[in-house]
Amino acid sequence: MNGNLYASFDARFLAHAGEPCLRLPGAKDWSHGELRARASAAAGALAGFGVRAGDRVVVQVAKSPECVALYLGCLKLGAVYVPLNTAYTPREVEYFLTDAEPALFVCGEEPHRDAKVPVATLDAAGGGTFPEAAASAAPLDEVAQRDAEDLAAIVYTSGTTGRSKGAMLSHANLASNAETLCETWGWRDDDVLLHALPIFHVHGLFVAMHCVFLTGTSMIFLPGFEAEAFAGHLARSTVTMGVPTFYTRLLARADFGREACANMRLFISGSAPLTEQTFHAFEARTGHRILERYGMSETLMNTSNPLDGERVAGTVGCALPGVEARISGADGEVVEAGAVGEIEVRGPNVFSGYWRMPGKTAEEFRPDGFFRTGDMAFMDAEGRVTIVGRAKDVVISGGYNVYPKEVEDIIEEMPAVAETAVIGVPHPDFGEGVVAVVVPAAQDVGLDAVEEALRGRLARFKQPKRVVNLETLPRNAMGKVQKNALRERFARLFDEHA
Ligand code: MLC
Ligand code: AMP
């Protein structure tokens, strides 16, 4: 048996060859057969660039059907796919290239730097040296033989120390999670997924697309999320997946309601907390109870509210079939039902470790194989999980993780700044908004000056949306900055936009 995830997709692509797979508004649809042919061509092109099974391919390109073919081509060839957020600056990308040591870097345009790594391009319109190579290379017909435990992808997640860690995901991790989700969410033969998420994170790349590939169904494939267009496409869709910002932006439209959702059977939310307020407002407006699930790059999906049973607002549901979840106290002992602790998970979905970081990997796993998520939660007697906060210092803005340490390190290089604490506070659009609390060296420091210091060094979504000046930062007896006190104090900073 071939453990290559692509082998499962290949069977569905063949079986549904004549049916649409990627529905592309304004352009010709790609059938399953066409996607299969494009994946083989991409695999052939990768081989032509010298990529072999086990090699990493770092990809930082705009969302396009050609990028989907590139991802599938990597799998087919047995290479390891390493997606990067398109918002990352060249300075940020440099780190990933050094760390991943890829055989090929596929990017939107030729980078202005000494290429230490072979480069190919793939632009937003599907042009570039990679598709050119794919058009002329001999397609790869064979699906590379892979062990299920072999690496399929490395997904970078930032670390609380500021250094990004590559979560190593195997074919087995991806396959087991995809199968479980299709089952849990009752994927139907006639389902049409509305896909507006980016495809450089696990949510859009694996959770959403794999449900389609594993069932031979189709998706309306949008380049990004724009509320009006999205609402329009719901009429031809049955399922969608989004971050909570999708739902708050839909609700902000007075013309959005039951009529737009008449064809829909399921709205799924994840990557950030869905507030009870949004859950109830969405139900009142559309009649749909959003199904919230919980996961992360390292573990793929862990828990889900039920398809048929009660979906409880503010909870992320129970552990998925085959996944074990438990709540542990600071001492590492499992706590009783209802008590808050760190959520730990174990199962075929859980990654094998961080790329070339055995020390970090060992720190995050318990001796019995449970992975420490860094999320604080409680579980009721039925196993239903409610996330209440995070043990890790991370802000989640519009579904993107921002690690304060990374932002603080650069702001503190500013001569005008004595010290800073970067926090996340409630934001009506992004759920949490990044705020820099700054102790100025002399005169107050403005947002402009901070933006100037961060320009080109940090992705825009990580940059503070507000800067607040304080004479001192609150500290505890140990000298540690009390971010909770700051979060409380500035909790209403973005209120005026509500
Ligand atoms: C964009 N901007 C953001 C932002 N997204 N700022 C903070 N947080 C964000 N998430 C900024 C841009 O830098 C720009 O700033 C301005 O907002 C407008 O940019 P845009 O590109 O027009 O934004 P928009 O398309 O409206 O994007 C918002 C969004 C997008 C919510 C649609 O962020 C998004 O698609 N988020 C999904 C993230 C996701 O897929 N997460 C899954 C991670 S996996 P300026 O100032 O330059 O104009 C995971 C595991 C799991 O978490 O469980 O799923
Ligand atoms: P990432 O590292 O980008 O994969 O983000 C994973 C993190 O997103 C998790 O550790 C959680 O903190 C958060 N997350 C994902 N889904 C949910 C959810 N439904 N509710 C609350 N937080 C979530």
Side-chain angles (χ1 to χ4, degrees), residues 52-63:
R52 291 162 309 162
D55 284 346
R56 276 78 54 210
V57 177
V58 172
V59 176
Q60 189 193 32
V61 303
K63 185 178 177 182

Side-chain angles (χ1 to χ4, degrees), residues 91-302:
R91 174 185 172 274
E92 291 169 293
V93 171
E94 202 59 49
Y95 168 82
F96 300 114
L97 293 178
T98 307
D99 192 60
E101 290 192 292
L104 184 67
F105 173 39
V106 186
C107 52
E109 56 186 50
E110 209 63 54
H112 303 284
R113 58 178 189 85
D114 292 341
K116 290 183 218 82
V117 174
V119 170
T121 59
L122 171 56
D123 63 33
T129 59
F130 188 79
E132 279 161 24
S136 57
L140 184 88
D141 290 326
E142 287 285 294
V143 180
Q145 191 68 34
R146 291 272 91 187
D147 195 275
E149 300 309 323
D150 283 339
L151 278 192
I154 297 176
V155 178
Y156 277 94
T157 77
S158 294
T160 38
T161 53
R163 239 189 108 197
S164 275
K165 302 169 289 186
M168 299 193 289
L169 294 162
S170 67
H171 290 265
N173 293 145
L174 299 176
S176 76
N177 211 233
E179 282 159 19
T180 303
L181 294 178
C182 288
E183 188 66 34
T184 302
W185 296 335
W187 218 266
R188 297 185 193 163
D189 290 346
D190 60 351
D191 266 333
V192 178
L193 174 78
L194 181 55
H195 192 302
L197 286 160
I199 54 169
F200 41 68
H201 284 312
V202 300
H203 195 166
L205 180 61
F206 302 141
V207 182
M209 293 208 302
H210 287 181
C211 285
V212 170
F213 298 154
L214 216 50
T215 54
T217 54
S218 71
M219 57 183 142
I220 298 178
F221 194 72
L222 303 180
F225 179 81
E226 192 281 308
E228 187 177 2
F230 186 91
H233 287 297
L234 288 173
R236 294 196 300 139
S237 314
T238 60
V239 185
T240 195
M241 300 184 197
V243 295
T245 300
F246 285 19
Y247 297 108
T248 52
R249 288 190 183 179
L250 286 171
L251 288 170
R253 296 187 58 80
D255 60 356
F256 174 74
R258 281 175 193 264
E259 211 180 316
C261 305
N263 199 48
M264 290 292 294
R265 72 167 181 93
L266 187 59
F267 289 89
I268 300 171
S269 178
S271 305
L274 181 77
T275 64
E276 292 190 38
Q277 191 194 355
T278 304
F279 179 94
H280 292 303
F282 201 85
E283 184 177 17
R285 189 83 77 80
T286 67
H288 284 275
R289 293 169 75 79
I290 299 173
L291 183 154
E292 186 172 9
R293 58 52 172 185
Y294 155 69
M296 60 195 300
S297 302
E298 289 92 330
T299 64
L300 303 168
M301 300 304 101
N302 294 313

Side-chain angles (χ1 to χ4, degrees), residues 469-485:
N469 286 264
L470 283 189
E471 270 177 32
T472 54
L473 295 177
R475 290 181 185 277
N476 64 15
M478 312 287 288
K480 196 168 164 346
V481 176
Q482 290 173 302
K483 289 200 169 179
N484 272 341

